[in-house]
Amino acid sequence: MIGASTLVLVSSLVVIPVARAIENGVARLPVLGYNTWNTYACNINESIILETASLMKSLGLQDAGYTHVNLDDCWAEKNRSAEGLLVPNQERFPSGFYNLTGQLHDMGFQAGIYGDSGWFTCAGYPGSFEHELTDATTYQDWGFDYLKFDNCAIPFDDIIREGTYGKYQRMADAIATLSQTSGKPPLIFSLCEWGWSQVWLWGQTVGNSWRVDGDIAANWASIASIINLASFITQGTNFYGRNDEDILEVGNGDLTYEENKSHFTAWALLKSPLLIGTDLSAASPGIIEILSNKEILAINQDPVVGTSISPFRWGLNADWTSNSSYPAQYWSGPSENGTVIMLLNTLDEPATMFFNLTESPWIRAGRQYAVRDLWTHTDNGTAVRNFTATDVPAHGVVALLLQDAGNEPAGLYPLCAVWYQCASENGTYVDGQ
């Protein structure tokens, strides 16, 4: 076991419900797009938004599926209008939002905006508490399609008189009411509640995605910690509702090339929304190539299977062990076209990673599987009973698609890939029991 702080979280008696997300007609699949916060923070304006959209088109990101451009905090004036309405910052957005969203729509994008469920946003701009329907209407009138809703400046208990669920339900109800009265699709509703693993239990009845942790940082420790937390709540993701591992930091900070690949792969295969937080004007071709990996994106956008991959073995630690530095290493899940495998080397040095195919619940015993590498984009022969990845780089990843290729070759010994309790019908055990 790695690390003295590890803690076994789940016993065999725990029954965890599967997500039943709100099917409100929008965001059946994870949102792909851009979010301004990680690169620009409060230094946003209409020129930056339109330049970012243009770069997404010219760099091929729109063609790869990234169709949202989302503003984060700091877009508003510090005070509402005399009528109680939100007002765009006149210096940063002199043309107004209706003009901005119109241009984005003309470019083939959807537009997103940011709000807060409390008195103020995290940067001190007007929040939506007790203004939910007014603000939802304003966002729709401005032409926005998506709302990220934060959790700062929470009203005192004797004012709010409800839990966090109820605080977010207020805006969910406003969005539903507005859709009914306007006849327009509801806003995509992204909860930014920093859920500490609990929000998925109720977020699925309120929104289309829900944050599972605090803000991501552009370093491996942050990414590993989020993957660790997400490994215990993968059942929270399905069509229309999903765990949100936060904005993509691909290409930011001190992340290595291999760490960038692992970060993107984990987010995509966990079916998180993929919102780029990179300065696209400075992004290298290698970073754009990572973000544009169409075989990985196809798993994220699978039209048949909406569920996330999940660990089938933790690896360095005992199964169901929480370790924020060394999360689960062996993951799998179903897809439209086969079984998805993710091998994550959490060590600080290269490693060989081995598993028996039937460790994954999505693999059938006695069958062989064609191996597709989703990063090299090559067909790598056939796996029989097991698979070994050699020299996986430090903090690196292997992403595979295994497709059933028929019965395994005859005459293989032992008669079972996994000997435990392997028996003939006359009671003879292969392992000599």
Side-chain angles (χ1 to χ4, degrees), residues 182-251:
S182 69
K184 297 180 179 180
L187 294 167
I188 297 171
F189 192 29
S190 175
L191 315 184
C192 184
E193 192 271 339
W194 340 306
W196 317 116
S197 82
Q198 298 301 312
V199 65
W200 74 272
L201 291 168
W202 55 262
Q204 57 201 255
T205 66
V206 177
N208 304 112
S209 62
W210 41 86
R211 279 276 295 281
V212 302
D213 206 349
D215 289 354
I216 190 174
N219 58 65
W220 179 250
S222 176
I223 290 165
S225 179
I226 293 172
I227 293 173
N228 174 65
L229 191 154
S231 68
F232 298 98
I233 57 173
T234 58
Q235 65 275 23
T237 285
N238 211 328
F239 291 128
Y240 294 104
R242 53 200 49 89
N243 296 315
D244 178 359
E245 276 70 59
D246 201 12
I247 301 167
L248 286 168
E249 287 279 16
V250 174

